[in-house]
Amino acid sequence: MNHLEKELLSIKEKVHEMWSLVEFQMLAGKEALLSGDKELTKKIIKSGKKVNNFDIKIDRMCESIFALYNPVAIDLRWLMAILKINANIERIGDSSEGIAQLIREAGHPVDPVLLENTRVLEMYEAAETMLAEVQRAFHEENTELAREIIKKDKLLNKIHAQTDKVIITYIQANPEKIAQSLKVSGIIRKLERIGDQITNIAEEIIFYVDAKVVKHKQKAKKKKKKNGGQTPPPENN
Amino acid sequence: MSKKPIKVEAKDVNAYYGDFHAIKGINIAMEENTVTAFIGPSGCGKSTFLRIFNRMNDYIDGFKTEGEILLDGQNIYAKNVQVDELRKKVGMVFQKPNPFPKSIYENVVYGLKIQGVSNKAALTEAAERALKQAALWNEVKDNLNKSALALSGGQQQRLCIARALAISPSVLLMDEPASALDPISTAKIEELIHELKEQYTIVIVTHNMQQAARVSDTTAFFYMGELVEHAKTKTMFTNPKDSRTQDYITGRFG
């Protein structure tokens, strides 16, 4: 292993450490939603500071590698991807922190009917699986898995799209639960964002392993359908 | 900076080629087991300054050095210092590989023989150790009696490094050690530098800024005989303090 490889490995280790911490933030969020454990939400929010420190540290390490080693080819793509993966993991951490805050504000217990109707726990489970799998895809440089993860985000988007309708119906039946309903709605919005952030990470994995740009491709496809099959103008990727 | 002890230190060093003031009041300290890179445009004095550390300039007519160079706290320009004793502690590798027209083995043990070592077992052992340290052993172990001139340029340079290491110096000076080599040989020398700093304090002069960035712990930028800036390499290449350093490393000079 040459010196550059050693440096890259130490960045990879840092990214994994940060990832584990954010994974904890997310898993603990679900637990806190069910149990109303205030200590746990406190812990989630407190971890945010550590996540931010990782974010800064990883950016610094990447900056040094760019400055000192003139990385090229896969090393260059890897570092570019790491910068973005790092930013996205940090945002997943932010979202989890936001959720913890919303859980505190929602009060305990959250009405099981509300949880059931909004499918928020289902969203949680999907997001958890996605986060674990994207980490594995990164570790194994498995782009097939990364592509599957991108598809899985559809479920989160689907549930999110129905949220307003479900919440309105619920509020009409339970007007005393307006405040709690709005908090749950906020949690769902954040989980949807987490899905997007995991998707961004999956796209970066494909970029650095296969040197292919897949981001913004979904939109282009949809546009193509709308235009009756006409090719959209070339993208400036 | 870290807490390693200071190995080599220059205090108010001035040097002159006749009337020409080549080195202007330089102060610099280099820690043990680190790599310090000297960078700067041609004629900035970096090579001259490097050669001051093992008194290589002593033979140049009209050359004069002022100030102190402390090696382990002792001034190497003090009157009682014997230059050959100094060079046992401070080895040097030059830009062009310069093996003697002798066998590989004879090249490596040359310095020891001059020092009077004649025990064959000791010489053989020292040769093997030095060649291993210079990452050349596996390529030459079956041909130690082959002429050194039959080796490739990159191998010759590693042989010269082995020759410098055989006498067990504690400081290694390298004057553009890879500038005459192809990229693969250069990468080998750079990896070697990373390994050698475990045991030696290394000072390297290089025109290749990226090489300085890759191999060194601290970098010193020289300009017109002055030391403009000396800092951790990471800092020098991401956020230099002096605008002249910034202009030089970003290629905006002049």
Side-chain angles (χ1 to χ4, degrees):
Chain A
M1 193 184 283
N2 70 28
H3 202 70
L4 174 60
E5 286 171 316
K6 281 182 205 156
E7 297 281 331
L8 295 179
L9 188 65
S10 66
I11 295 182
K12 196 173 176 180
E13 281 165 5
K14 272 274 168 292
V15 171
H16 275 302
E17 276 179 57
M18 179 184 187
W19 222 318
S20 305
L21 192 59
V22 169
E23 200 172 23
F24 155 77
Q25 284 185 301
M26 229 180 90
L27 295 179
K30 187 176 139 202
E31 207 185 309
L33 179 64
L34 292 172
S35 67
D37 185 340
K38 286 230 162 112
E39 279 307 307
L40 197 55
T41 51
K42 216 190 240 173
K43 216 170 154 189
I44 297 168
I45 293 167
K46 223 176 156 188
S47 304
K49 208 173 167 188
K50 274 192 205 161
V51 173
N52 291 345
N53 288 341
F54 272 116
D55 176 36
I56 292 168
K57 173 83 185 160
I58 291 164
D59 270 358
R60 282 258 167 86
M61 289 169 96
C62 290
E63 187 191 5
S64 291
I65 302 269
F66 280 121
L68 304 184
Y69 294 92
N70 277 25
V72 292
I74 189 161
D75 295 335
L76 175 61
R77 291 201 306 278
W78 190 82
L79 278 162
M80 287 173 66
I82 284 292
L83 282 175
K84 295 185 198 171
I85 289 173
N86 181 34
N88 276 289
I89 298 175
E90 193 269 334
R91 278 187 213 149
I92 296 172
D94 278 352
S95 298
S96 303
E97 238 183 287
I99 290 176
Q101 195 58 44
L102 287 166
I103 293 171
R104 288 169 84 97
E105 291 162 10
H108 187 71
V110 178
D111 182 4
V113 178
L114 179 58
L115 295 180
E116 175 71 31
N117 291 1
T118 53
R119 297 168 76 188
V120 61
L121 295 176
E122 202 181 323
M123 271 187 110
Y124 243 122
E125 267 149 37
E128 266 170 38
T129 314
M130 282 172 75
L131 186 64
E133 281 183 353
V134 81
Q135 211 171 340
R136 185 157 68 87
F138 173 71
H139 191 67
E140 297 170 359
E141 302 193 337
N142 184 342
T143 51
E144 215 168 288
L145 183 57
R147 284 172 204 275
E148 278 170 32
I149 292 161
I150 296 173
K151 283 183 198 150
K152 278 189 182 156
D153 187 41
K154 280 186 184 154
L155 175 67
L156 295 188
N157 293 339
K158 206 172 129 191
I159 299 175
H160 174 248
Q162 292 162 352
T163 303
D164 284 359
K165 212 170 106 192
V166 173
I167 295 267
I168 290 168
T169 315
Y170 177 83
I171 288 175
Q172 280 166 345
N174 306 279
E176 77 287 359
K177 295 268 184 196
I178 290 181
Q180 193 170 69
S181 306
L182 291 178
K183 299 302 169 193
V184 171
S185 168
I187 293 173
I188 288 175
R189 205 170 308 128
K190 291 210 181 286
L191 284 171
E192 193 272 334
R193 280 302 297 149
I194 289 179
D196 292 345
Q197 282 143 0
I198 295 172
T199 303
N200 292 344
I201 295 175
E203 288 168 349
E204 291 306 323
I205 294 170
I206 296 166
F207 165 71
Y208 98 76
V209 178
D210 291 349
K212 280 189 184 137
V213 177
V214 291
K215 64 180 175 181
H216 311 313
K217 283 284 184 312
Q218 287 308 105
K219 281 181 205 155
K221 246 191 223 166
K222 274 183 197 161
K223 237 188 237 168
K224 199 173 163 185
K225 266 187 196 164
K226 259 189 194 170
N227 294 345
Q230 278 173 340
T231 331
E235 288 177 60
N236 296 326
N237 279 327
Chain B
M1 295 221 180
S2 56
K3 299 278 181 282
K4 287 177 181 167
I6 303 293
K7 182 76 188 173
V8 189
E9 191 172 7
K11 281 186 170 173
D12 293 321
V13 172
N14 284 283
Y16 306 83
Y17 289 102
D19 293 337
F20 178 63
H21 195 174
I23 300 292
K24 298 171 185 166
I26 290 183
N27 288 286
I28 188 171
M30 285 165 275
E31 293 173 0
E32 197 165 27
N33 300 115
T34 60
V35 179
T36 304
F38 289 176
I39 60 170
S42 292
C44 69
K46 58 192 188 301
S47 285
T48 302
F49 190 56
L50 183 80
R51 293 155 64 94
I52 284 176
F53 289 103
N54 72 344
R55 297 183 55 168
M56 283 292 280
N57 299 320
D58 286 14
Y59 309 117
I60 299 172
D61 273 349
F63 193 87
K64 195 174 78 186
T65 312
E66 290 168 356
E68 286 186 334
I69 299 282
L70 305 177
L71 173 65
D72 295 320
Q74 303 292 319
N75 184 10
I76 65 168
Y77 281 87
K79 286 216 172 86
N80 58 350
V81 171
Q82 284 181 303
V83 174
D84 51 347
E85 286 300 316
L86 167 69
R87 303 234 172 105
K88 283 185 199 168
K89 295 180 200 153
V90 184
M92 189 153 186
V93 177
F94 298 86
Q95 181 171 4
K96 274 195 181 164
N98 54 357
F100 303 130
K102 291 171 176 284
S103 72
I104 293 167
Y105 174 81
E106 286 298 332
N107 263 278
V108 182
V109 300
Y110 190 82
L112 291 170
K113 280 191 170 174
I114 282 186
Q115 287 176 19
V117 179
S118 57
N119 181 324
K120 212 166 174 207
L123 289 173
T124 311
E125 199 188 312
E128 183 175 339
R129 179 181 55 82
L131 285 166
K132 277 183 176 162
Q133 280 187 329
L136 188 60
W137 176 250
N138 286 336
E139 291 160 58
V140 301
K141 64 183 175 195
D142 300 323
N143 294 305
L144 291 177
N145 292 319
K146 202 166 93 175
S147 166
L149 301 179
L151 296 172
S152 73
Q155 288 173 324
Q156 287 186 8
Q157 191 63 314
R158 277 179 284 148
L159 178 64
C160 293
I161 293 173
R163 188 175 62 191
L165 299 179
I167 52 167
S168 305
S170 55
V171 176
L172 196 57
L173 307 176
M174 302 177 122
D175 193 355
E176 303 252 17
S179 64
L181 306 180
D182 72 277
I184 302 293
S185 302
T186 300
K188 278 189 185 159
I189 300 280
E190 289 179 6
E191 281 303 316
L192 188 56
I193 292 171
H194 281 298
E195 283 163 27
L196 292 176
K197 77 167 178 183
E198 304 283 325
Q199 293 177 51
Y200 306 91
T201 304
I202 298 173
V203 188
I204 175 173
V205 163
T206 174
H207 266 129
N208 180 338
M209 258 180 295
Q210 283 312 317
Q211 181 168 72
R214 286 189 296 263
V215 304
S216 68
D217 299 295
T218 70
T219 298
F221 171 56
F222 291 81
Y223 185 56
M224 294 175 68
E226 282 175 42
L227 173 60
V228 174
E229 190 169 350
H230 176 218
K232 275 190 178 174
T233 302
K234 266 185 195 174
T235 312
M236 287 287 273
F237 282 87
T238 52
N239 187 17
K241 296 285 166 287
D242 195 290
S243 62
R244 287 170 294 175
T245 314
Q246 171 130 314
D247 287 349
Y248 183 69
I249 63 170
T250 55
R252 290 190 177 87
F253 222 77

